[in-house]
C-alpha cells in the first residue's frame, strides 16, 4: 500500500510515499495456524530437490495450508455451491454475484482486490469490531469506503509472526459482518488469521462470503514510517493464485 494518492513509484524514486509497501507476511515455519497440535505439520514445509540427478537448477516442493499467512478466502470457503447462504444478485441488492457452481479462487473479482482502500485503526480496548463501533468510525453512509483494512494491536504486536495461536484475536463480530454487507463494502482486510471472531466465525463468514465480500486475512499493517496514526487512504494491490477449485490461497499484498 501507499498512503499517497499515487500508488506506483514516480521517476524511479523509492523514497517517501512513492514506495510500494509490502503488507504480506512471509511464509515460514513460524506462522500461527488454527489450533496446531504439538508435533503436527508446520504451516509450510519446503522439500528442496537441488542437485537431484545432477540437475543444474534449484527446484523444490512446497506444502502449506490454503489459509496460511496472508491469504484470501474464496467464496466456497464457507459457502458451498447453491448454499442457502449464497445470496443471488437477482434477489438482493447487496450482492454483486450470482449463486453459481465453482465459486473458487478463479471467481474472486480482481477489480475488487485492487484499488483505493481505507485503513482504519482499531483501539486496543476494542475486543471485537461491532456494528456500533463501525457506525462511530463511519458515521456517513455515503462516505463508507468500498475497501477497508482494519489495523489492530496485532500489527503492532507482530502477532502474525508468533506461532502461538491467539484465541482472543480482534475481528468483526456478526453485527459487524452484517454492517459491512448493508453498507456495501466490497473488501475487508484484517491483520490476523480471520476476519471474524472465533465465536462468530462460521455465521459471519457465511454472511460476508455469501454476499460476495472479499476477505483478505493475515495482513501486516505496521507500515513503519507512514503517518497513518488516525488511519487514512491508500491503494491496494492483491493478487491470489489462480487455483481451480481452491478455497483459499496465500497472497502477496502491497
Amino acid at each position: 500500500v501507499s498512503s499517497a494518492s499515487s500508488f506506483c513509484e514516480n521517476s524511479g524514486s523509492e523514497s517517501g510515499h512513492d514506495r510500494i509497501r509490502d503488507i504480506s507476511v512471509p511464509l515460514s515455519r513460524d506462522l500461527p495456524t488454527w489450533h496446531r497440535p504439538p508435533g503436527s505439520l508446520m504451516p509450510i514445509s519446503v522439500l528442496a530437490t537441488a542437485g537431484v540427478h545432477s540437475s543444474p537448477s534449484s527446484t523444490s516442493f512446497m506444502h502449506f495450508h490454503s489459509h496460511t499467512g496472508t491469504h484470501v478466502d474464496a467464496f466456497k470457503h464457507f459457502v458451498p455451491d447453491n448454499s442457502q447462504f449464497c445470496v443471488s444478485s437477482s434477489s438482493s441488492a447487496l450482492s454483486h454475484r450470482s449463486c453459481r457452481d465453482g465459486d473458487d479462487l478463479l471467481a474472486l473479482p480482481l477489480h475488487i482486490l485492487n484499488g483505493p482502500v481505507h485503513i482504519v485503526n482499531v483501539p486496543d480496548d476494542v475486543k471485537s469490531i461491532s456494528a456500533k463501533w463501525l457506525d462511530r468510525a463511519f458515521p456517513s453512509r455515503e462516505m463508507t469506503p468500498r475497501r477497508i483494512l482494519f489495523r489492530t494491536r496485532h500489527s503492532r504486536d507482530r502477532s502474525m509472526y508468533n506461532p502461538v495461536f491467539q484465541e482472543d484475536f480482534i475481528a468483526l463480530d456478526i453485527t459487524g459482518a452484517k454492517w459491512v454487507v448493508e453498507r456495501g463494502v466490497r473488501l475487508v482486510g484484517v491483520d490476523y488469521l480471520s476476519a471474524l471472531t472465533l465465536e462468530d466465525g462460521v455465521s459471519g463468514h457465511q454472511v460476508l462470503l455469501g454476499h460476495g465480500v472479499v476477505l483478505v486475512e493475515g495482513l501486516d499493517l505496521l507500515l513503519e514510517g507512514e503517518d497513518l496514526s488516525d488511519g487514512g487512504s491508500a491503494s491496494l494491490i492483491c493478487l491470489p493464485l489462480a487455483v481451480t477449485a481452491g478455497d483459499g490461497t496465500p497472497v502477496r499484498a502491497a
Side-chain angles (χ1 to χ4, degrees):
V1 295
S2 169
S3 60
S5 58
S6 176
F7 175 72
C8 297
E9 297 176 7
N10 296 324
S11 304
S13 171
E14 294 185 359
S15 62
H17 297 306
D18 294 335
R19 187 172 62 192
I20 295 175
R21 296 190 178 273
D22 194 346
I23 57 173
S24 48
V25 176
L27 294 177
S28 75
R29 294 172 176 267
D30 297 322
L31 297 178
T33 58
W34 287 94
H35 300 290
R36 187 175 77 208
S40 64
L41 285 174
M42 294 295 171
I44 179 170
S45 58
V46 179
L47 175 62
T49 61
V52 175
H53 303 301
S54 301
S55 171
S57 64
S58 296
T59 61
S60 59
F61 293 98
M62 292 187 291
H63 178 275
F64 50 81
H65 193 273
S66 58
H67 298 263
T68 297
T70 304
H71 65 276
V72 295
D73 291 354
F75 300 129
K76 66 179 293 180
H77 179 41
F78 272 92
V79 184
D81 296 339
N82 302 314
S83 167
Q84 61 174 316
F85 299 105
C86 186
V87 182
S88 68
S89 56
S90 61
S91 62
S92 172
L94 299 175
S95 179
H96 76 284
R97 67 191 184 93
S98 300
C99 292
R100 61 188 184 280
D101 292 339
D103 277 338
D104 59 6
L105 291 169
L106 300 180
L108 290 174
L110 295 182
H111 68 285
I112 299 301
L113 281 158
N114 300 272
V117 68
H118 186 81
I119 301 173
V120 59
N121 288 321
V122 180
D124 290 353
D125 60 352
V126 173
K127 303 304 180 184
S128 63
I129 304 171
S130 65
K132 185 177 180 180
W133 187 88
L134 288 165
D135 278 336
R136 293 195 300 268
F138 301 99
S140 172
R141 180 176 294 271
E142 292 73 21
M143 298 298 290
T144 304
R146 296 182 75 201
R147 304 172 187 85
I148 303 176
L149 304 183
F150 293 100
R151 182 166 57 181
T152 75
R153 61 174 172 82
H154 296 302
S155 286
R156 295 185 294 277
D157 294 347
R158 319 308 285 147
S159 299
M160 283 299 299
Y161 299 88
N162 183 349
V164 178
F165 179 77
Q166 300 181 23
E167 293 192 357
D168 61 343
F169 60 86
I170 302 170
L172 295 166
D173 65 14
I174 187 62
T175 69
K178 292 178 178 178
W179 183 98
V180 165
V181 172
E182 291 168 356
R183 286 290 188 99
V185 177
R186 301 292 298 278
L187 179 144
V188 167
V190 295
D191 54 4
Y192 203 60
L193 284 176
S194 174
L196 282 305
T197 62
L198 199 61
E199 181 179 1
D200 294 333
V202 174
S203 59
H205 273 91
Q206 289 169 339
V207 167
L208 293 176
L209 298 177
H211 285 87
V213 178
V214 177
L215 302 181
V216 186
E217 300 167 328
L219 293 165
D220 179 358
L221 298 176
L222 185 60
L223 298 178
E224 293 185 19
E226 293 285 359
D227 184 15
L228 292 174
S229 57
D230 296 321
S233 298
S235 296
L236 173 69
I237 289 180
C238 183
L239 295 173
L241 296 176
V243 182
T244 302
D247 59 84
T249 179
V251 297
R252 189 73 178 270

